[in-house]
Amino acid sequence: MNSWLIQNASIVGRETADIAIENGVVTEVGTGLTAPEGARVLDATGLIALPGLVDLHTHLREPGREDAETVESGSRAAALGGYTAVCAMANTSPVADTAGVVEQVWRLGRDAGLVDVQPIGAVTVGLKGEHMAELGAMADSAANVRIFSDDGFCVADPKMMRRALEYVKAFDGVIAQHAEEPALTAGAQMHEGEFSSQLGLAGWPAVAEEAIIARDCLLTGHVGSRLHVCHVSTAGSVEILRWAKSKGWRVTAEVCPHHLLLTDERATTYDPVNKVNPPLRTDTDIEALRAGLAEGVIDVVATDHAPHSSEDKDCEWAAARPGMLGLQTALSIVVKTMVEPGLLDWDGVAERMSRRPARIAGLDGHGLDPAPGVPANLTLIDPAASWTVVPNELASLSRNTPYAQMTFPATVRATFLRGEATVLEGKAQK
Amino acid sequence: MIRHLLSAADLDRDTATLLLDTARQLGQALTGREVKKLPTLRGRTVVNLFYEDSTRTRVSFETAAKRLSADVVNFSAKGSSVSKGESLKDTAWTLQAMGADAVVIRHPASGASHRLAGWVDGSVLNAGDGTHEHPTQALLDAYTMRERMGRLDGLRVTIVGDVLHSRVARSNVLLLRTLGADVTLVAPPTLLPVGVETWPARISYDFDAILPKTDVVMMLRVQRERMTDSFFPSVREYSRRYGLDLRRAALLPDDALVMHPGPMVRGMEIAPEVADSARSAIVEQVANGVLVRMAALYLLLSGEKGAE
């Protein structure tokens, strides 16, 4: 079942070789390999083999909003996007702030069997920022939680943030911060600038993100812990992160595909499909984010895949929930915004979308290039193909993609989770 | 002709001028008539969809539609706010099924009229959407200025007050620029949006210095509640720095006009003696509102259907 001979793939964009997989584990990488016993043969001529992608920031909506997404539907979207592992954010209903909820999500992911679903635990009870959740219980649970985040909300209280950073040192945890000073973003609807002033939509100033990132980097250095900054969206944030890293502090950061591609001008349509938190920003920010990602100041690309039902998007801008789909478009957008302009090669893509996120999340079997003895978590990309986004054809239960009718480079042809094909010929296998 | 009137930016100079000229002609056509009604929109249905209390704007639109012999349906949706009750989209479909030829919408959310225009076949007139725009207010202001001052081109207009939260200011800046006026915005820096520097208007924090170089001064309402959110320290300080009192009114050229879109907060942004003075056009503004709304309905609805 989980034995394959993948022929003539370009290994992470480099040499062409065959990959032999037996019982879910890579046994050999080389030319002219013979198929292991009972193995299926897949001709990967012209395709690039990458370690399976790992998403540090996915909203799967289950439990609580199964009308918008389930662990299974989100897992399917992830596999189709080339992912073999996703980290499920804690802002479900009930909130993933106990061992019970994180274990539920973890089991749902295992049952779906399309990607490894690694739950993220809430930092504070109910994401309210008041009382620390039982982080240790979640760490010790079957879900083995290592990333904690109140994403959707900022851990705004500096004392709470300090305590959380300190507390997770006991089990090598990391706090993933949604950096947004709430006092500066009350009622905020979009990036504060030229377009917000014209559109009469309350502004979300860049400084509300940057001030929290600066504070949290200082706290992280002070207590010697690990900070991961979610969805960095401004040029100023990149500068602060560069400075924090120069101090040797253990700070990592992610950028979302939409922040690499789309600007706040999108809001002029008043179509809430373009509403996201943090908001779409300016060309200057896009340029700085791309440069920061190329340089490594921003470590990873994470989707912030945020499905929303139509009633939460087919409405007035201010009434709409923030967020957009991302799992099936992320790789293509990285190719368009980073690979095509020459900012990243395929090794760079593997680093920022697979290896580095796997290490941040502590997912041992993921983020490893195909080599003997390594779990066969990988994806095959056709770099020469292109595709047009049709919302109704996406695997998510929701339709809130800002990329409808846009054409992107690169398609995912196949994805393997421990040797099992979750995607073949661009189609989900379950 | 344009199909919807969502923003003052929808109007180019020719269209805006046509609209003001039409308002004037309609005014003349009604003058001296015993029955103040024209048969132009007989058999057409105009829906007033109001999500906010605004008696003056609703009555103005209702009067305008009735004077053109349209059937008027008032659909008060206040209370069914953006977060509860029937969604705007479902309401749009209801109006669509009723066969509304035009929908006049007032809504607390910026962009609500844009959304509605995507969901109905009829014309949509924005009667104020959140802190975004209020284009018929700008039209009636421009009409009033043109009637009183005889021109708009080169007219020096100063708009004073809570620009940040003002849909009137946004529409006026756009329309007045289109019609050739020079606009200056005066406000405490806290009540100007970040990004205002990209607007086609000058900015000043010094009201006294601007007044002698002003042909029209338009005072915006300032809500007391802004004080509690630290936009300014107190009503008295606001009044001292940005209110139009008698001393300041005396700094204006003799023929300068004083305007206010209403509702006024007397004693806050404008002194009662100034509001009621001969140079005030505040009452005319209300009367002119009916004429420009008639012109807008007339031009949007009587044009060839489906010309776009």
Side-chain angles (χ1 to χ4, degrees):
Chain A
M1 274 299 278
N2 297 342
S3 299
W4 289 86
L5 180 64
I6 298 167
Q7 293 179 314
N8 298 318
S10 163
I11 309 298
V12 198
R14 298 185 303 263
E15 76 285 0
T16 298
D18 301 344
I19 304 167
I21 299 168
E22 265 185 88
N23 299 320
V25 178
V26 175
T27 51
E28 217 177 342
V29 179
T31 48
L33 301 185
T34 50
E37 198 181 315
R40 292 173 65 185
V41 178
L42 192 156
D43 179 6
T45 305
L47 306 184
I48 292 171
L50 295 181
L53 308 184
V54 175
D55 190 18
L56 284 182
H57 196 143
T58 313
H59 295 276
L60 294 175
R61 302 291 182 228
E62 189 177 6
R65 283 307 297 267
E66 291 83 354
D67 58 324
E69 196 78 292
T70 62
V71 171
E72 184 186 333
S73 65
S75 293
R76 191 170 294 114
L80 286 162
Y83 289 89
T84 53
V86 299
C87 297
M89 270 299 172
N91 63 337
T92 48
S93 178
V95 172
D97 57 4
T98 62
V101 178
V102 292
E103 287 193 351
Q104 179 193 359
V105 172
W106 176 74
R107 284 208 186 82
L108 287 165
R110 197 181 55 176
D111 292 348
L114 285 150
V115 291
D116 283 346
V117 174
Q118 172 58 57
I120 291 172
V123 178
T124 65
V125 175
L127 311 175
K128 292 188 187 305
E130 291 162 2
H131 304 286
M132 198 189 292
E134 290 192 348
L135 308 186
M138 291 188 271
D140 292 342
S141 74
N144 197 27
V145 176
R146 286 297 175 273
I147 303 177
F148 299 91
S149 180
D150 276 0
D151 180 64
F153 301 96
C154 182
V155 180
D157 176 1
K159 186 178 77 181
M160 176 62 75
M161 188 62 185
R162 177 211 165 125
R163 295 277 186 261
L165 283 165
E166 285 180 302
Y167 193 78
V168 298
K169 287 165 69 179
F171 34 85
D172 195 27
V174 56
I175 304 295
Q177 175 71 296
H178 169 119
E180 174 184 355
E181 169 51 56
L184 291 175
T185 58
Q189 297 295 328
M190 65 173 295
H191 173 67
E192 184 167 56
E194 177 183 357
F195 293 107
S196 65
S197 78
Q198 289 170 13
L199 296 170
L201 292 170
W204 199 129
V207 61
E209 173 174 307
E210 293 153 5
I212 292 291
I213 294 178
R215 180 200 78 178
D216 288 353
C217 287
L218 291 164
L219 285 172
T220 301
H222 181 61
V223 302
S225 186
R226 283 174 66 204
L227 170 71
H228 177 72
V229 183
C230 297
H231 42 50
V232 170
S233 71
T234 80
S237 297
V238 177
E239 278 189 61
I240 293 163
L241 287 163
R242 186 179 289 116
W243 168 78
K245 288 191 167 194
S246 77
K247 299 281 183 189
W249 298 335
R250 290 190 296 163
V251 173
T252 57
E254 71 192 30
V255 63
C256 301
H258 45 268
H259 289 128
L260 295 171
L261 182 66
L262 307 176
T263 69
D264 58 340
E265 190 172 2
R266 281 273 189 140
T268 56
T269 61
Y270 282 111
D271 185 343
V273 79
N274 299 298
K275 180 175 174 176
V276 64
N277 190 14
L280 302 178
R281 302 213 186 257
T282 68
D283 285 321
T284 308
D285 296 301
I286 286 180
E287 203 177 316
L289 292 168
R290 290 182 184 184
L293 183 63
E295 185 186 337
V297 169
I298 297 173
D299 302 78
V300 308
V301 174
T303 65
D304 198 2
H305 178 82
H308 287 297
S309 64
S310 61
E311 68 266 26
D312 286 329
K313 283 292 190 182
D314 274 354
C315 57
E316 303 87 330
W317 180 283
R321 303 267 301 146
M324 39 184 66
L325 301 183
L327 285 167
Q328 284 180 257
T329 43
L331 179 75
S332 286
I333 292 170
V334 170
V335 172
K336 182 184 173 72
T337 59
M338 300 298 294
V339 178
E340 287 188 343
L343 291 166
L344 279 184
D345 58 13
W346 287 100
D347 191 74
V349 173
E351 185 67 16
R352 282 157 186 76
M353 297 188 77
S354 176
R355 297 180 200 130
R356 193 94 178 95
R359 266 173 271 149
I360 291 168
L363 296 170
D364 292 337
H366 292 272
L368 302 168
D369 289 1
V374 159
N377 297 317
L378 48 98
T379 185
L380 299 175
I381 313 298
D382 184 346
S386 66
W387 65 296
T388 300
V389 179
V390 178
N392 283 333
E393 292 176 1
L394 297 175
S396 175
L397 296 183
S398 296
R399 295 285 169 261
N400 54 309
T401 175
Y403 310 113
Q405 307 318 318
M406 290 175 76
T407 297
F408 291 116
T411 56
V412 174
R413 298 306 301 160
T415 307
F416 296 88
L417 178 64
R418 284 180 287 280
E420 182 181 356
T422 54
V423 174
L424 277 180
E425 293 176 5
K427 303 270 188 299
Q429 298 302 293
K430 59 180 177 184
Chain B
M1 191 58 201
I2 56 169
R3 186 166 144 226
H4 306 295
L5 182 55
L6 307 177
S7 160
D10 295 341
L11 301 169
D12 58 22
R13 191 166 182 149
D14 286 349
T15 310
T17 305
L18 173 65
L19 232 150
L20 298 182
D21 292 345
T22 305
R24 191 155 213 256
Q25 286 159 11
L26 289 166
Q28 285 163 352
L30 287 171
T31 307
R33 275 194 175 226
E34 206 164 301
V35 180
K36 289 200 183 307
K37 244 176 161 84
L38 300 171
T40 323
L41 295 183
R42 190 178 289 154
R44 314 297 288 275
T45 303
V46 175
V47 175
N48 282 324
L49 179 60
F50 274 58
Y51 286 84
E52 281 182 343
D53 269 339
S54 175
T55 308
R56 70 168 61 213
T57 304
R58 187 183 57 73
V59 168
S60 181
F61 268 108
E62 185 173 351
T63 307
K66 284 182 170 165
R67 286 198 179 159
L68 293 170
S69 305
D71 297 322
V72 179
V73 178
N74 286 315
F75 198 115
S76 173
K78 196 191 163 263
S80 53
S81 70
V82 293
S83 56
K84 58 187 177 206
E86 187 180 60
S87 75
L88 181 60
K89 190 176 186 179
D90 286 336
T91 303
W93 287 357
T94 305
L95 301 178
Q96 177 73 8
M98 283 165 49
D101 296 294
V103 182
V104 176
I105 178 172
R106 162 66 67 97
H107 198 288
S110 299
S113 61
H114 281 75
R115 298 295 281 158
L116 184 68
W119 294 324
V120 296
D121 292 336
S123 291
V124 174
L125 284 89
N126 181 4
D129 62 326
T131 55
H132 177 225
E133 283 208 46
H134 193 358
T136 59
Q137 176 71 43
L139 282 164
L140 80 86
D141 290 337
Y143 183 84
T144 306
M145 289 178 214
R146 200 176 72 162
E147 290 298 298
R148 281 284 285 253
M149 308 300 286
R151 69 197 164 99
L152 288 166
D153 204 41
L155 205 66
R156 298 167 299 176
V157 181
T158 300
I159 300 175
V160 187
D162 186 357
V163 174
L164 177 63
H165 300 96
S166 176
R167 49 196 174 209
V168 175
R170 281 177 180 77
S171 286
N172 261 298
V173 167
L174 291 169
L175 185 68
L176 288 169
R177 272 313 298 162
T178 299
L179 292 169
D182 291 319
V183 181
T184 302
L185 301 170
V186 176
T190 44
L191 290 176
L192 290 169
V194 166
V196 74
E197 66 282 357
T198 64
W199 294 13
R202 270 189 288 276
I203 310 296
S204 173
Y205 308 130
D206 187 349
F207 198 9
D208 283 4
I210 296 295
L211 281 166
K213 295 175 276 181
T214 292
D215 298 313
V216 178
V217 60
M218 183 185 297
M219 304 306 297
L220 302 173
R221 180 174 57 140
V222 178
Q223 293 176 302
R224 280 164 192 277
E225 308 86 75
R226 303 291 176 215
M227 191 175 69
T228 57
D229 210 4
S230 296
F231 285 103
F232 51 87
S234 70
V235 169
R236 288 323 311 160
E237 172 150 329
Y238 182 86
S239 230
R240 276 196 302 272
R241 294 182 68 87
Y242 301 99
L244 188 62
D245 55 16
L246 279 171
R247 180 189 69 78
R248 281 213 174 90
L251 298 175
L252 285 163
D254 289 343
D255 61 346
L257 197 60
V258 173
M259 299 179 69
H260 195 301
M264 280 184 283
V265 187
R266 288 169 181 262
M268 170 96 175
E269 71 264 6
I270 191 163
E273 300 84 355
V274 178
D276 301 335
S277 69
R279 63 169 76 213
S280 162
I282 294 168
V283 177
E284 281 161 73
Q285 284 176 274
V286 178
N288 293 338
V290 175
L291 295 179
V292 298
R293 284 166 182 135
M294 284 174 76
L297 286 166
Y298 172 75
L299 291 172
L300 289 179
L301 290 182
S302 66
E304 296 152 75
K305 249 198 155 176
E308 266 199 319

